[in-house]
């Protein structure tokens, strides 16, 4: 059919089929029912002529066309053939409410599309996946649903084209997502004269590798014909071998179209005054293309070649293809409508049941039952279950760190995920709680004492209130508790934040389990919000109280040093000190009179101040502590005691040995605090955060509900609004049920007519179609 000619009368059965599908589209949009109808998805690169081809298929101009990117949002066109519409009647579907559609003129629709393109061009994303939906009724419209997508971009390589490269990835991602719909027929546009250049097919074949639901169209045929010098080149171009197309396409070979340039309007730059002139130009261009091809080939085109040249031939093919898809889908649609009818009937019965159960006693019973069921689901999640899908509700350790906070030390580093058990698994409930606690043990258990500077040691010495000597044991305590407090306090807050996040996640998962088991109180949103609020408040207050208890422990253990608590490994410290004075400090002389003092005493250094050439046996701290009854040992001890007093009390010069002793003491105290903090924090969070969810939450929730039932039952359940809401839902369900029933009968009638047509004998062969 030529674009400028009247379309043939649509037979009654086909008209009923189109009308039924149009109603199906409306039902799906208004009531969000899952009916997927076939549609044509137009895919091509920038300036391939996508929008112009869509306009030519429709028979009138409405879009923003031209060089560069002119389509920044997909445009969905629900086209309906109406023989009584002499001019296109267009309705623009609201972006905010798909039920609402406003009648617009072609000029208004074109202005809206241009405004949207300009708006998106100024934004960072530049493109949007949200569709512009237009419903069209016209005597020249085919019965098609066409989706025009943004043009694919082929940017040049190099750093200076990064912005365009980013846009190209965004557009390709958008188009690929649209092509994922299996019911869509892909109209793949190629603007090339050599089929080995698969520019658009490269993208299409990533989704449809066999091109089994793809129609290939070569656009701008009028510009390509003059490029061919030999008739053999034209032959290959018109009928390329299947290997050149990388698959068997719909229709077996490509279509070829030309759309004349020029816009419809009354301005000085307009080429056509009316859409009728535009349609006539399309038909004329089609005839001229056929004539030019026959001149190049030096022969008339065969009928199988002519049916692939021109917009009208493509339009007829697409309409017949979609009509076949429609007919093939009729049995499936009837089955879906039956299922939807049963579902809506069940929903209507549930609403009637809810309306009959709005008395005070029944509502209280419902509330108490929901309370018990909710707590049962919480307990189940903590103990462990696989009922909730991990892909929907589970979190990997990376997700958990992002959403609940990470354990970060003072150096800003995080513990490597690969060292944490089950880090890559999507967990929830008790399993996620256990993994978080395990990570806390890993992280805090591996914390080392921060570096200590000589300046810190000297500053920590200070001045005593009764003498000006140096007390290095006090110095070590001052440094250790300050380092420990600064190091461990952030971990305490991070642990509380992480575990609170895990507990709060139990609420939506419990709701899912209740909905799955049909135990959810749908329609009682005020009551459900109260339960949610009570649970979240309980979790937050319990976590805060638990964290404060842990903070008290940390404050106490970093305020006063108890050697029995803080010096956990005295044997290791003793070994360090023994080896320190035994191997590092040679002791002088056989006796105090002739030998003198050691070069570097145990607790201080007299470096380069007292030296002697005669070494004597080592004296270890253990020997000093054991009280060995030896005159040489006693003399050595007395001399070393003088050394000790000289270096630690009377001498402020920080010797290397004194520095190392302070370091050792600080490390010992710090590690003692770390072990106590780790054990105390884990125990307290288990006892005062986890356990209250099990033994205190049920009591508090029940008390809150009973108190609300006694004083504000109407407020808790919002009975007035609930009655109004249920009544509205009932009316909507009744309307939906009537429409589904009516539509189901229409499709059944169409289905019966199709069966009758298939069973009729063929006029030419005298045989039935249903062999």
């Amino acid at each position: 059919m030529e674009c400028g000619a009247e379309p043939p009368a649509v037979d009654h059965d086909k008209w009923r089929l189109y009308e039924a599908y149009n109603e199906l589209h409306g039902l799906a949009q208004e009531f969000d029912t899952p009916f997927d109808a076939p549609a044509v998805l137009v895919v091509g690169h920038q300036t391939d002529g996508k929008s112009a081809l869509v306009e030519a298929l429709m028979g009138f101009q409405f879009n923003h066309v031209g060089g560069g990117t002119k389509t920044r949002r997909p445009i969905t066109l629900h086209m309906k053939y109406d023989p009584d519409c002499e001019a296109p009647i267009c309705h623009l579907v609201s972006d905010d409410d798909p039920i609402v559609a406003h009648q617009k003129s072609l000029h208004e629709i074109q202005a809206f599309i241009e405004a949207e393109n300009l708006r998106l061009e100024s934004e960072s994303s530049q493109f949007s996946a949200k569709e512009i939906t237009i419903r069209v009724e016209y005597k020249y419209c085919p019965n098609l649903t066409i989706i025009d997508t943004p043009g694919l971009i082929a940017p040049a390589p190099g750093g200076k084209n990064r912005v365009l490269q980013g846009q190209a990835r965004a557009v390709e991602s958008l188009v690929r997502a649209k092509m994922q719909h299996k019911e869509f027929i892909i109209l793949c546009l190629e603007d090339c004269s050599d089929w080995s250049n698969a520019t658009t097919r490269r993208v299409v074949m990533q989704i449809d590798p066999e091109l089994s639901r793809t129609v290939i169209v070569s656009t701008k045929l009028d510009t390509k014909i003059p490029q061919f010098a030999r008739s053999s080149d034209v032959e290959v171009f018109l009928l390329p071998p299947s290997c050149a197309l990388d698959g068997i396409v719909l229709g077996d070979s490509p279509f070829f179209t030309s759309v004349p340039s020029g816009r419809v309007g009354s301005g000085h730059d307009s080429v056509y005054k009316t859409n009728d002139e535009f349609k006539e130009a399309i038909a004329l261009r089609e005839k001229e293309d056929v004539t030019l091809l026959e001149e190049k080939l030096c022969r008339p085109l065969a009928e199988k070649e002519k049916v692939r040249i021109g917009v009208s031939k493509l339009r007829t093919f697409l309409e017949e293809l979609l009509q076949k898809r429609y007919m093939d889908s009729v049995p499936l649609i009837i089955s879906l409508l039956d299922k939807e009818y049963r579902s809506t009937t069940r929903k209507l019965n549930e609403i009637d049941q809810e309306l009959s159960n709005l008395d005070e006693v029944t509502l209280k019973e419902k509330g108490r039952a929901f309370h018990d069921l909710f707590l049962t689901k919480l307990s189940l999640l903590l103990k462990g279950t696989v009922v909730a899908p991990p892909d929907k509700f589970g979190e990997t350790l990376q997700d958990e760190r992002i959403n609940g906070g990470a354990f970060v030390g003072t150096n800003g580093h995080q513990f490597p995920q690969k060292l944490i058990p089950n880090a890559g698994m999507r967990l929830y409930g008790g399993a996620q709680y256990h993994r978080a606690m395990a990570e806390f043990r890993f992280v805090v258990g591996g914390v080392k004492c921060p570096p200590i500077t000589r300046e810190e040691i000297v500053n920590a010495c200070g001045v005593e209130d009764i003498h000006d000597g140096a007390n290095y044991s006090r110095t070590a305590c001052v440094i250790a508790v300050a380092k420990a407090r600064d190091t461990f306090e952030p971990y305490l807050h991070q642990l509380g934040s992480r575990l609170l996040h895990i507990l709060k996640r139990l609420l939506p998962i419990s709701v899912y389990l209740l909905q799955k088991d049909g135990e959810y109180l749908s329609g009682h949103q005020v009551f459900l919000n109260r339960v949610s609020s009570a649970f979240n408040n309980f979790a937050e207050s319990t976590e805060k109280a638990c964290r404060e208890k842990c903070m008290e422990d940390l404050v106490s253990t970093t305020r006063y040093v108890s050697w029995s608590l803080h010096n956990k490994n005295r044997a290791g410290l003793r070994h360090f000190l023994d080896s320190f004075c035994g191997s590092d400090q040679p002791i002088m002389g056989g006796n105090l009179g002739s030998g003198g003092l050691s070069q570097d005493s145990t607790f201080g250094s007299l470096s380069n101040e007292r030296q002697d050439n005669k070494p004597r046996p080592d004296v270890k701290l253990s020997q000093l502590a054991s009280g060995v009854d030896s005159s040489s040992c006693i003399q050595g001890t007395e001399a070393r005691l003088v050394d000790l007093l000289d270096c630690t009390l009377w001498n402020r010069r920080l010797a290397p040995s004194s520095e190392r002793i302070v370091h050792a003491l600080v490390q010992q105290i710090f590690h003692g605090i770390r072990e106590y903090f780790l054990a105390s924090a884990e125990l307290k969070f288990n006892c005062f955060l986890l356990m209250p969810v099990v033994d205190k939450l049920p009591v508090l929730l029940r008390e809150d509900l009973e108190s609300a039932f006694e004083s504000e039952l109407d407020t808790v359940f919002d009975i007035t609004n609930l009655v109004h809401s249920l009544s509205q839902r009932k009316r909507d369900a009744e309307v939906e049920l009537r429409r589904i029933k009516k539509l189901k009968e229409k499709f059944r009638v169409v289905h019966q007519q199709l069966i009758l047509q298939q069973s009729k004998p063929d006029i030419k062969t005298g045989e039935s179609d249903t062999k």
Side-chain angles (χ1 to χ4, degrees):
M1 181 184 74
E2 294 183 357
C3 288
E6 281 282 339
V10 180
D11 64 66
H12 187 63
D13 293 332
K14 288 182 181 179
W15 174 254
R16 290 179 112 169
L17 179 66
Y18 296 145
E19 187 180 35
Y21 266 106
N22 283 331
E23 286 191 32
L24 185 67
H25 277 298
L27 185 70
Q29 291 175 359
E30 290 180 36
F31 296 102
D32 195 25
T33 46
F35 302 126
D36 292 323
V40 176
L41 184 75
V42 185
V43 179
H45 278 75
Q46 279 186 357
T47 70
D48 277 354
K50 292 185 300 75
S51 301
L53 179 60
V54 170
E55 290 181 336
L57 288 170
M58 296 179 68
F60 61 88
Q61 293 183 352
F62 70 96
N63 209 343
H64 187 196
V65 299
T69 301
K70 297 300 181 185
T71 304
R72 295 185 179 273
R73 283 177 61 182
I75 301 174
T76 300
L77 300 157
H78 294 296
M79 296 185 287
K80 178 182 175 183
Y81 166 72
D82 188 340
D84 297 327
C85 289
E86 294 293 336
I89 298 177
C90 303
H91 288 83
L92 181 64
V93 177
S94 170
D95 281 342
D96 300 323
D97 188 353
I99 299 176
V100 179
H102 304 284
Q103 185 169 342
K104 301 283 186 181
S105 67
L106 293 178
H107 178 73
E108 288 173 330
I109 288 179
Q110 186 173 353
F112 175 79
I113 294 173
E114 290 181 3
E116 280 296 287
N117 288 338
L118 290 173
R119 178 183 66 82
L120 289 169
E121 191 174 356
S122 62
E123 292 184 0
S124 57
S125 59
Q126 299 249 322
F127 296 90
S128 172
K130 190 173 184 179
E131 297 177 1
I132 297 173
T133 304
I134 305 170
R135 300 175 192 167
V136 183
E137 296 179 24
Y138 188 32
K139 66 183 297 184
Y140 296 112
C141 263
N143 286 284
L144 296 175
T145 294
I146 293 183
I147 304 171
D148 186 13
T149 60
L152 298 167
I153 304 171
K160 64 181 181 180
N161 296 307
R162 264 196 209 105
V163 174
L164 196 59
Q165 290 164 5
Q167 294 178 14
R169 288 190 294 270
V171 173
E172 184 168 328
S173 175
L174 187 156
V175 173
R176 282 164 57 94
K178 294 292 181 187
M179 289 192 292
Q180 294 285 357
H181 294 270
K182 300 295 183 183
E183 71 277 6
F184 286 176
I185 296 167
I186 302 171
L187 200 64
C188 174
L189 272 55
E190 295 278 19
D191 182 14
C192 62
S193 54
D194 185 352
W195 290 113
S196 61
N197 295 324
T199 52
T200 305
R201 274 174 292 147
R202 176 190 62 81
V203 179
V204 171
M205 292 180 70
Q206 294 175 24
I207 306 300
D208 183 22
E210 300 299 325
L211 299 176
S212 58
R213 56 186 180 96
T214 300
V215 178
I216 295 179
V217 179
S218 175
T219 58
K220 304 180 183 179
L221 176 63
D222 53 335
T223 64
K224 295 181 178 63
I225 296 175
Q227 299 175 19
F228 296 111
R230 297 177 298 179
S231 60
S232 58
D233 295 335
V234 182
E235 298 278 4
V236 174
F237 180 64
L238 291 180
L239 193 62
S242 58
C243 61
L245 298 178
D246 304 306
I248 301 175
V249 298
L250 285 175
D252 299 329
S253 64
F255 284 82
F256 304 87
T257 62
S258 299
V259 178
S261 60
R263 305 302 293 167
V264 175
S266 57
H268 68 278
D269 55 346
S270 299
V271 177
Y272 311 108
K273 292 183 179 180
T274 64
N275 283 304
D276 288 335
E277 289 186 15
F278 175 58
K279 293 194 293 288
E280 290 171 2
I282 294 173
L284 181 60
R285 181 69 264 171
E286 189 173 313
K287 292 178 180 178
E288 290 175 352
D289 287 343
V290 171
T291 301
L292 290 173
L293 286 171
E294 289 179 341
E295 290 177 358
K296 285 284 184 180
L297 291 169
C298 300
R299 65 172 176 81
L301 289 176
E303 192 60 34
K304 67 176 183 179
E305 294 171 326
K306 285 184 178 181
V307 296
R308 311 213 166 273
I309 296 171
V311 173
S312 66
K313 304 302 188 297
L314 174 63
R315 171 174 155 161
T316 301
F317 174 80
L318 291 176
E319 193 167 8
E320 290 175 352
L321 182 61
L322 276 189
Q323 179 188 321
K324 185 177 184 304
R325 294 286 178 97
Y326 280 161
M327 291 180 175
D328 292 343
S329 300
V330 166
L332 177 62
I333 293 297
I334 293 174
S335 175
L336 288 173
L337 286 169
D338 282 334
K339 181 180 177 182
E340 194 65 24
Y341 186 84
R342 292 192 299 270
S343 174
T344 307
T345 303
R346 185 171 59 251
K347 182 168 63 176
L348 189 59
N349 292 334
E350 290 172 356
I351 293 172
D352 286 333
Q353 185 67 29
E354 284 189 59
L355 282 169
S356 64
N357 291 334
L358 290 181
D359 60 282
E360 182 176 328
V361 175
T362 306
L363 287 175
K364 286 183 178 180
E365 289 177 357
K366 278 188 174 184
R368 294 183 183 115
F370 181 84
H371 164 271
D372 296 337
L373 292 168
F374 173 65
L375 293 174
T376 301
K377 302 304 182 188
L378 280 179
S379 176
L380 181 64
L381 289 171
L382 288 175
K383 292 177 181 177
T385 180
V386 294
V387 179
D391 58 340
K392 184 176 181 181
F393 294 106
E395 283 187 335
T396 63
L397 183 58
Q398 179 66 22
D399 297 331
E400 188 179 318
R401 286 179 172 182
I402 293 172
N403 299 323
F407 295 118
V408 181
T410 52
N411 58 3
H413 295 162
Q414 294 185 33
F415 201 78
Q417 290 188 48
K418 61 183 179 181
L419 301 180
I420 306 297
N422 304 323
M425 294 188 179
R426 294 170 293 189
L427 305 182
Y428 54 77
Q432 189 176 10
Y433 181 95
H434 185 273
R435 182 179 63 187
M437 209 46 107
E439 185 187 3
F440 178 73
R441 285 195 300 271
F442 269 103
V443 173
V444 177
V447 171
K448 303 298 182 184
C449 181
I452 305 167
T453 65
R454 291 171 61 85
E455 287 179 343
E456 287 177 323
I457 297 174
V458 174
N459 278 313
C461 286
V463 177
E464 295 286 347
D465 57 355
I466 200 168
H467 67 86
D468 64 351
N471 184 348
Y472 285 116
S473 61
R474 180 189 179 282
T475 298
C477 292
V478 169
I479 295 173
V481 296
K483 297 281 185 185
R485 175 73 176 268
D486 293 342
T487 300
F488 296 124
E489 184 175 351
Y491 286 117
L492 190 59
H493 295 284
Q494 292 164 10
L495 177 63
S497 175
R498 177 76 75 84
L499 296 182
L500 178 61
H501 164 71
I502 292 171
L503 287 183
K504 282 188 171 183
R505 292 187 67 243
L506 296 176
L507 180 62
I509 305 176
S510 299
V511 168
Y512 168 81
L513 296 180
L514 290 168
Q515 290 173 332
K516 186 174 184 291
D517 295 340
E519 300 165 342
Y520 189 66
L521 280 179
S522 58
H524 299 276
Q525 196 57 47
V526 176
F527 172 78
L528 297 172
N529 289 341
R530 188 182 185 100
V531 174
S532 300
S533 177
F535 174 78
N536 287 329
N537 291 338
F538 172 81
E540 290 172 4
S541 60
T542 305
E543 183 274 330
K544 182 181 178 182
C546 177
R547 183 162 34 86
E548 288 174 351
K549 291 179 185 293
C550 294
M551 196 65 204
E552 288 178 1
D553 278 355
L554 180 60
V555 170
S556 64
T557 197
T558 55
R559 184 174 183 183
Y560 188 83
V561 174
S562 299
W563 291 104
S564 60
L565 173 66
H566 292 72
N567 189 16
K568 291 291 186 182
N569 190 10
R570 280 178 285 181
L573 181 62
R574 174 65 60 83
H575 177 73
F576 166 76
L577 296 174
D578 280 350
S579 63
F580 178 78
C581 78
S583 61
D584 294 346
Q585 280 76 12
I587 309 285
M588 302 301 165
N591 57 60
L592 184 60
S594 62
L597 298 174
S598 66
Q599 179 178 348
D600 192 358
S601 68
T602 304
F603 292 92
S605 176
L606 302 179
S607 175
N608 299 323
E609 294 182 6
R610 298 179 179 90
Q611 294 186 5
D612 199 287
N613 293 327
K614 297 180 180 180
R616 63 179 178 81
D618 295 340
V619 179
K620 295 190 176 182
L621 290 178
S622 57
Q623 294 174 327
L624 298 179
S626 65
V628 178
D629 190 13
S630 166
S631 59
S632 62
C633 183
I634 292 172
Q635 291 172 356
T637 301
E638 291 173 350
R640 296 171 70 82
L641 182 58
V642 174
D643 258 357
L644 173 64
L645 293 172
D646 183 41
C647 294
T648 61
L649 291 177
W650 306 327
N651 191 347
R652 285 280 178 147
R653 183 173 56 188
L654 186 61
S657 56
S658 301
E659 185 180 350
R660 279 184 283 177
I661 291 296
V662 171
H663 272 272
L665 286 173
V666 170
Q667 295 277 353
Q668 206 67 24
I669 297 168
F670 182 90
H671 292 160
I673 295 173
R674 181 190 66 192
E675 292 178 21
Y676 179 79
F677 168 75
L678 183 57
S680 171
E682 183 174 0
L683 182 62
K684 278 186 166 53
F685 270 97
N686 286 336
C687 290
F688 300 112
L689 179 63
L690 180 62
M691 292 309 298
V693 176
V694 177
D695 52 31
K696 288 187 178 181
L697 178 63
V699 177
L700 290 174
L701 276 183
R702 174 56 67 92
E703 290 177 353
D704 181 69
L705 287 179
E706 294 299 333
S707 173
F709 288 164
E710 294 300 325
S711 60
E712 45 182 347
L713 181 65
D714 184 69
T715 306
V716 171
F717 285 98
D718 197 11
I719 297 175
T720 304
N721 287 332
L722 184 59
V723 171
H724 176 74
S725 173
L726 287 173
S727 300
Q728 183 61 48
R729 284 172 54 197
K730 181 179 179 180
R731 287 192 292 272
D732 292 341
E734 289 172 343
V735 171
E736 184 178 1
L737 196 64
R738 285 195 297 269
R739 290 187 63 179
I740 291 174
K741 184 178 180 180
K742 178 182 176 184
L743 195 54
K744 190 169 63 168
E745 292 304 317
K746 279 192 175 184
F747 271 98
R748 280 203 174 123
V749 170
V750 171
H751 185 50
Q752 291 170 358
Q753 293 295 328
L754 291 175
I755 292 174
L756 288 173
Q757 286 182 3
Q758 290 173 358
S759 61
K760 287 179 182 179
D762 189 282
I763 296 176
K764 294 180 181 178
T765 62
E767 297 178 354
S768 173
D769 292 340
T770 56
K771 275 189 176 182

